[in-house]
Amino acid sequence: MKKKILALGITMCMAAFLAACGGSSAETSAAADTKASEANTEAAAQSGAEGEESESSDAGETAAADLQTVAAGKLTVATSPDFAPYEFYAIGEDGTPALAGFDMALAKYIADDLGLELEVVTVDFDGVLSELQTKSVDLGMAGLSPDPKREGIMDFSDLYYIGGQSLVTVKANAGTYNSFEAVNKPEVSVGAQIGSIQMDLATANSPDADIVPLPKVTDIIAELLSGKMDVAYIETDVAKSYQKNYPELEIIMEVPYDQEGSAIGVCKGNEGLLAAVNASIAKALEDGSMEKFIAEANELASGEKYEGLLDESGQVQQ
Ligand code: ARG
């Protein structure tokens, strides 16, 4: 699996940064094992025989020193930057691609709020899930839906964004693929991202179709645009974002989904971090930061200067 660790720059602009350094999750995973026991040390010392009875302290008060993370002093976040306006590569002022998107802005906000240094690990979306499962990262921030099927491998934060699901094609095919019936045929290729809830939507709504799982949403967009793929299940705001750069894309219709909204995936069992992340999310929603991050990300993903379909080497995927 392709993986990179990127150190996020100090400024929220993020346009000028791109520091890629080698590294593997193996070197940080050992720390994760000690986490659960350390988290309870204080409470155990105080409560003695009372054991489980004493609950942990107030979320908002959590200081960085009390937080257990896979790398001390750092907040290690896995993401899958194929998902504008949530996370994507944009061309910075220096001409190099840089990580952008409201998930990345929120990640930086949370890290700052918790007094931790942000470290971002980029992987395909199924990699975000496995990084959390192996406790190689602290958080997964990738427009993650709080799918109950994932509860065994991660905890979910409160929701920080509400989106929706759509069936997408290109304008030229909009007349043909205009209903679930029309796309539920063996000759129709239906794309969805590997590991995503869109895969579930595809199998639930288009069981007879030729379902094509792809690792990146940008691959799916490229296949739709080149005519290799007929339709795809994509998060609505992501489809709308790519549509601004590629007006040939057409949203056929909204697709019902019952776990709507995005949460942060938190390394399972790290109660202290979960509480601290929820407190930071509440703050970002309340102080207007989240709104600002969303507006900035949407603008960055849809300008002529910036391109939502870039990969990390600055190539436009087509
Ligand atoms: N919300 C969907 C899910 O949780 C898709 C998320 C895909 N994220 C990404 N960065 N590609 O399954």
Side-chain angles (χ1 to χ4, degrees), residues 80 82-83 87 125 142-145 150 193 195-198 217 235:
S80 168
D82 59 358
F83 211 58
E87 48 266 336
F125 182 69
L144 258 173
S145 308
R150 295 175 179 159
Q193 184 170 36
S196 71
I197 60 101
Q198 286 78 16
V217 172
E235 211 108 352

Coordinates of all heavy atoms in Angstrom, one line a residue, residues 80 82-83 87 125 142-145 150 193 195-198 217 235, ligand 1:
S80 N -7.1 10.3 3.0 CA -7.1 9.8 1.6 C -7.5 11.0 0.7 O -8.6 11.3 0.4 CB -8.2 8.7 1.5 OG -8.4 8.4 0.2
D82 N -8.3 12.2 -2.1 CA -8.9 12.1 -3.4 C -10.3 12.6 -3.4 O -11.2 12.1 -4.1 CB -8.9 10.6 -3.8 CG -9.6 9.7 -2.8 OD1 -10.1 10.2 -1.8 OD2 -9.7 8.5 -3.0
F83 N -10.6 13.5 -2.5 CA -12.0 13.7 -2.0 C -12.2 15.2 -1.8 O -12.6 15.6 -0.7 CB -12.1 12.9 -0.7 CG -13.5 12.4 -0.4 CD1 -14.1 11.5 -1.3 CD2 -14.1 12.7 0.8 CE1 -15.4 11.0 -1.0 CE2 -15.4 12.2 1.1 CZ -16.0 11.3 0.2
E87 N -10.6 16.5 1.3 CA -9.1 16.5 1.2 C -8.7 16.2 -0.2 O -9.3 15.3 -0.9 CB -8.5 15.4 2.2 CG -9.2 14.1 2.1 CD -10.3 13.9 3.1 OE1 -10.2 14.6 4.1 OE2 -11.2 13.1 2.9
F125 N -8.3 5.2 0.7 CA -9.4 5.2 1.7 C -9.4 3.9 2.5 O -9.5 3.9 3.8 CB -10.7 5.5 1.1 CG -11.8 5.6 2.2 CD1 -11.8 6.6 3.1 CD2 -12.7 4.5 2.3 CE1 -12.7 6.6 4.1 CE2 -13.7 4.6 3.3 CZ -13.7 5.6 4.2
A142 N -11.2 11.6 6.8 CA -11.4 11.3 5.4 C -12.9 11.3 5.0 O -13.3 10.4 4.3 CB -10.7 10.0 5.1
G143 N -13.6 12.3 5.5 CA -15.0 12.3 5.2 C -15.7 11.0 5.6 O -16.6 10.5 5.0
L144 N -15.2 10.4 6.8 CA -15.6 9.1 7.2 C -17.1 9.1 7.7 O -17.5 9.9 8.5 CB -14.8 8.7 8.4 CG -13.6 7.8 8.3 CD1 -12.9 7.7 9.6 CD2 -14.2 6.4 7.9
S145 N -17.8 8.2 7.1 CA -19.2 8.0 7.6 C -19.2 7.1 8.9 O -18.4 6.1 8.9 CB -20.1 7.3 6.5 OG -20.0 8.0 5.3
R150 N -18.1 -0.3 11.2 CA -16.7 0.1 11.5 C -16.5 0.2 13.0 O -15.3 0.4 13.4 CB -16.4 1.4 10.8 CG -16.5 1.3 9.3 CD -16.3 2.7 8.6 NE -16.3 2.5 7.2 CZ -16.5 3.5 6.3 NH1 -16.8 4.7 6.8 NH2 -16.6 3.2 5.0
Q193 N -15.8 3.6 -4.5 CA -14.4 3.5 -3.9 C -14.3 2.3 -3.0 O -15.2 2.0 -2.2 CB -14.1 4.8 -3.1 CG -12.7 4.8 -2.5 CD -12.4 6.2 -2.0 OE1 -13.2 6.9 -1.4 NE2 -11.1 6.5 -2.1
G195 N -13.7 0.0 0.0 CA -13.8 0.2 1.4 C -14.9 1.2 1.9 O -15.1 1.4 3.0
S196 N -15.5 1.9 0.9 CA -16.4 3.0 1.3 C -17.8 2.5 1.4 O -18.2 1.4 0.9 CB -16.3 4.1 0.2 OG -16.9 3.7 -1.0
I197 N -18.6 3.4 2.0 CA -20.0 3.1 2.1 C -20.7 3.1 0.7 O -21.8 2.6 0.5 CB -20.8 4.0 3.2 CG1 -20.7 5.4 2.8 CG2 -20.2 3.7 4.6 CD1 -21.9 6.0 2.1
Q198 N -20.0 3.8 -0.2 CA -20.6 3.9 -1.6 C -20.5 2.5 -2.2 O -21.4 2.2 -3.1 CB -19.8 4.9 -2.4 CG -20.1 6.4 -2.1 CD -19.4 6.9 -0.8 OE1 -18.5 6.3 -0.3 NE2 -19.9 8.0 -0.3
V217 N -11.3 8.0 -5.4 CA -12.4 8.7 -6.0 C -12.0 9.4 -7.3 O -12.7 9.5 -8.3 CB -13.1 9.7 -5.1 CG1 -14.2 10.5 -5.8 CG2 -13.8 8.9 -3.9
E235 N -20.0 10.7 -2.9 CA -20.6 11.7 -1.9 C -21.0 13.0 -2.7 O -20.3 13.4 -3.6 CB -19.5 12.0 -0.9 CG -20.0 12.4 0.4 CD -19.7 11.2 1.4 OE1 -19.2 10.1 1.1 OE2 -20.0 11.5 2.6
Ligands
ARG1 N1 -18.1 8.7 3.4 C1 -17.6 7.5 2.8 C2 -17.2 6.4 3.7 O1 -17.0 6.7 4.9 C3 -16.5 7.8 1.8 C4 -15.3 8.4 2.4 C5 -14.2 8.5 1.4 N2 -13.2 9.4 1.8 C6 -12.1 9.7 1.0 N3 -11.3 10.6 1.5 N4 -11.9 9.2 -0.1 O2 -17.2 5.3 3.4

